[in-house]
Amino acid sequence: MASIGYFLSCEQYGPKELVEQARAAERAGFERLWISDHFHPWNDEQGQSPFVWSVIGALSEAVSLPVTTAVTCPTVRIHPAVIAQAAATAAVQLDGRFVLGVGSGEALNEHILGDPWPSPGVRLAMLEEAVEVIRLLHRGEQVSHHGEYYEVQEARIYTRPEQPVPIYVSGFGPQATKLAGRIGDGYCTVMPDADLVRAFRESGGGDKPVQAGMKVCWDADREAALDRAHRLWANDVLPGQLAQTLPRPQDFAAAMTLVPREQVAEAIVCGDDPEAHLARVQAYVDAGVDEVYVQQVGEDHEGFFRGWSEQVLPKLR
């Protein structure tokens, strides 16, 4: 059976709330943590965006669960050499229980310094080189790298964990998923898509871990839960490349007005029927996912953690 973790949303909650949720998740029996890395939320209604590396430092003192970034973009907004240092420190703080999840990013977060937003193929090439730079630095030797996209001069990371930080690569389409299979120590996704999991494994991923995130809106009032999910997270079901190319939270808010409420109901489990939550997790397990991370977008966190602890997690085990 898959391992079940909790998904901390830096787009929706502030740093202190995230630490409290992590504590509650550990008490409820969740086994690990995912945490998003954003400069902006997807829309102003979500309303938060703390610096993920500060939150991870706090998590290392608050809980004993493993943590994965889901996901960091190490290509445009932050140079991969800086991400390498941040990840190494996080791994030391967490006693080796840290995974660096990386992806090719979104214009929403990466355009802020005025850099051009590259085409998908270029973004994946940048990601591949960035991962190479991070792994070189994690060896602890002095590194000089003169690549197509990145320059590193005589850099050495001194604070490092005993073992190199595992790097999992995200992919939401065939091209990115095959790259993840080729260069990743694992794979991150948000869809229960057996074809993508198979593509990862057949492209070199083999039996490496597959992580996936899912959202729920636990609330006794299913209609109210669906209203909230639609207002906050309709961006999850935007079509095509909109999620990667729209630059501002207000652009996402405008695009979200085109998303039917019923479409959000299909993507996000709403209400407090444990069987519905179990069925959604099972879809990920059936797709071949090893670690499922659950994000509560509803207001009733106490009800969510109690419901999952008493009615969902025991049945999954």
Side-chain angles (χ1 to χ4, degrees), residues 226 230 234 237-238 255-267:
L226 181 50
H230 184 252
V237 291
L238 289 174
M256 284 164 58
T257 63
L258 305 174
V259 175
R261 195 165 170 271
E262 300 72 34
Q263 201 172 345
V264 173
E266 294 173 11

Side-chain angles (χ1 to χ4, degrees), residues 179-250:
L179 176 68
R182 190 158 54 79
I183 71 169
D185 297 313
Y187 175 49
C188 303
T189 183
V190 292
M191 296 172 283
D193 190 322
D195 291 336
L196 286 179
V197 173
R198 190 178 307 110
F200 166 74
R201 300 211 182 281
E202 292 176 352
S203 301
D207 60 357
K208 293 174 182 175
V210 172
Q211 301 180 333
M214 58 174 265
K215 293 181 177 68
V216 305
C217 193
W218 182 284
D219 193 295
D221 185 335
R222 185 182 181 278
E223 292 304 309
L226 181 50
D227 287 341
R228 181 176 173 86
H230 184 252
R231 178 169 57 85
L232 289 171
W233 287 99
N235 57 279
D236 262 17
V237 291
L238 289 174
Q241 295 188 20
L242 288 176
Q244 284 74 49
T245 56
L246 292 177
R248 303 175 303 167
Q250 52 264 51

Side-chain angles (χ1 to χ4, degrees), residues 148-167:
E148 185 174 355
Y149 303 105
Y150 301 107
E151 184 82 13
V152 180
Q153 292 188 12
E154 299 161 351
R156 181 182 173 191
I157 292 177
Y158 284 81
T159 301
R160 295 176 297 112
E162 291 183 7
Q163 300 296 324
V165 178
I167 300 176

